Amino acid sequence: MRIALFDADRVGLVDAAGESVVDCTDLLPHHDPGLGANYWVRLCADLDRLREPLLARFATGPRTPLAAVRLRAPVLNPGKIIAAAANYADHIDEMRPHELADWLLAFDLFLKAPSSVVGPGAVVRLPDVPGEVHYECELGLVLARGGYDIPAESALDHILGWTVLLDITERGKGDRSRRKSYDGFTPVGPWLVTRDEAGDWTELAISLRRNGELAQQVKAGEMLVGVPEIIARASRVMTLQPGDVIATGAPAGVGQIEPGDRLDATIDGIGTLTVTVG
Ligand code: MN
């Protein structure tokens, strides 16, 4: 399933070609946007139980062209966004000349503010900061099941689905969480592709084009600390919850963004997330 959030708190399923969406909002037993993100957390946790009615609606329900709706980020007020740092060898190599402290070149986990999330088509506003602001294109995932001290062997079973995520970053000194948490610094989308539909995560091909030019390209399997181990390590720090988001780290090719830029972030088999820079 390709799960999309669109318009005003509508939830739907997108076809494999990425051309239309079937509105399934009325099938969600807890849908009440007045209660914030609760219905979304329930959907993340209960998707298996809702699978049959959702697929039945998808097969027969009216299709709306995606061009006629406004896609939103396919995450809603996540309790936390956990992000992996220094998780591809070629990205660590490209950062070496910047004379960073050793600890900044070693794998680690940090948090991004949930309020930094924006959806497809967003305009990312550059804050007034002295340093450069960079794009980082990453494989993102949303959790269906939480837990504490999750074994790596069963960690993939906790995943609801995959998405494309940009970890926009102010370069410079200072805490990662601040430098990566400005409003608009976490574009996510265009939808979630459930784990059963996406296949082997290590084969997912991630790429980013800046103004049409290829800037980042990698297979997810090249990450140094793989997805199961990221989930296991994160869950030994903090209890993971349904709806939490994990960004798995950026490959080489990160670079500065400037007003007027267009970023097309693609994961083959998932979709393309496009944002512009204002
Ligand atoms: Mn990153």
Side-chain angles (χ1 to χ4, degrees):
M1 280 183 280
R2 291 155 188 270
I3 305 169
L5 280 166
F6 65 101
D7 293 345
D9 281 297
R10 307 310 293 179
V11 181
L13 296 183
V14 174
D15 67 272
E19 288 171 355
S20 65
V21 62
V22 176
D23 193 327
C24 301
T25 313
D26 62 294
L27 299 175
L28 307 181
H30 304 283
H31 187 260
D32 182 352
L35 296 176
N38 290 351
Y39 81 88
W40 175 253
V41 173
R42 291 259 38 116
L43 173 60
C44 292
D46 291 346
L47 186 70
D48 276 340
R49 266 179 280 171
L50 292 165
R51 188 172 291 268
E52 252 180 62
L54 285 172
L55 288 175
R57 171 68 60 80
F58 182 61
T60 58
R63 286 164 194 268
T64 305
L66 279 179
V69 305
R70 166 121 193 244
L71 285 173
R72 310 284 179 178
V75 301
L76 201 54
N77 297 352
K80 48 193 170 295
I81 302 171
I82 301 165
N87 202 19
Y88 289 93
D90 56 359
H91 175 55
I92 295 170
D93 287 342
E94 76 178 343
M95 297 309 286
R96 265 184 225 291
H98 295 273
E99 297 180 346
L100 302 174
D102 284 348
W103 68 268
L104 282 167
L105 297 173
F107 177 86
D108 209 343
L109 297 168
F110 62 94
L111 293 170
K112 286 177 71 101
S115 47
S116 64
V117 168
V118 290
V123 179
V124 177
R125 304 263 171 225
L126 293 179
D128 183 15
V129 294
E132 295 181 359
V133 175
H134 283 200
Y135 57 79
E136 296 187 355
C137 178
E138 310 191 4
L139 170 65
L141 65 91
V142 175
L143 292 176
R145 269 204 296 142
Y148 186 82
D149 198 10
I150 297 167
E153 297 70 37
S154 55
L156 290 177
D157 296 336
H158 290 250
I159 296 173
L160 173 70
W162 309 99
T163 189
V164 188
L165 186 149
L166 288 169
D167 174 22
I168 309 284
T169 300
E170 176 200 345
R171 295 283 173 224
K173 297 202 186 306
D175 187 84
R176 273 196 184 106
S177 287
R178 178 188 55 75
R179 292 188 286 107
K180 293 164 174 278
S181 284
Y182 291 90
D183 279 12
F185 270 27
T186 310
V188 185
W191 40 71
L192 290 182
V193 178
T194 50
R195 196 164 69 88
D196 56 305
E197 185 153 335
D200 178 1
W201 70 270
T202 65
E203 292 295 324
L204 293 173
I206 303 164
S207 63
L208 178 127
R209 288 178 183 275
R210 178 186 176 219
N211 301 325
E213 270 187 43
L214 187 63
Q216 290 181 286
Q217 190 172 37
V218 78
K219 267 210 180 152
E222 290 180 39
M223 61 181 74
L224 298 172
V225 176
V227 170
E229 186 62 25
I230 293 174
I231 294 171
R233 290 196 198 190
S235 76
R236 291 199 287 268
V237 179
M238 47 197 139
T239 299
L240 305 183
Q241 291 159 328
D244 282 355
V245 176
I246 298 180
T248 57
V254 303
Q256 190 173 7
I257 52 174
E258 292 170 326
D261 279 356
R262 174 191 163 114
L263 302 175
D264 297 297
T266 300
I267 299 180
D268 293 347
I270 308 284
T272 295
L273 165 68
T274 299
V275 298
T276 55
V277 181

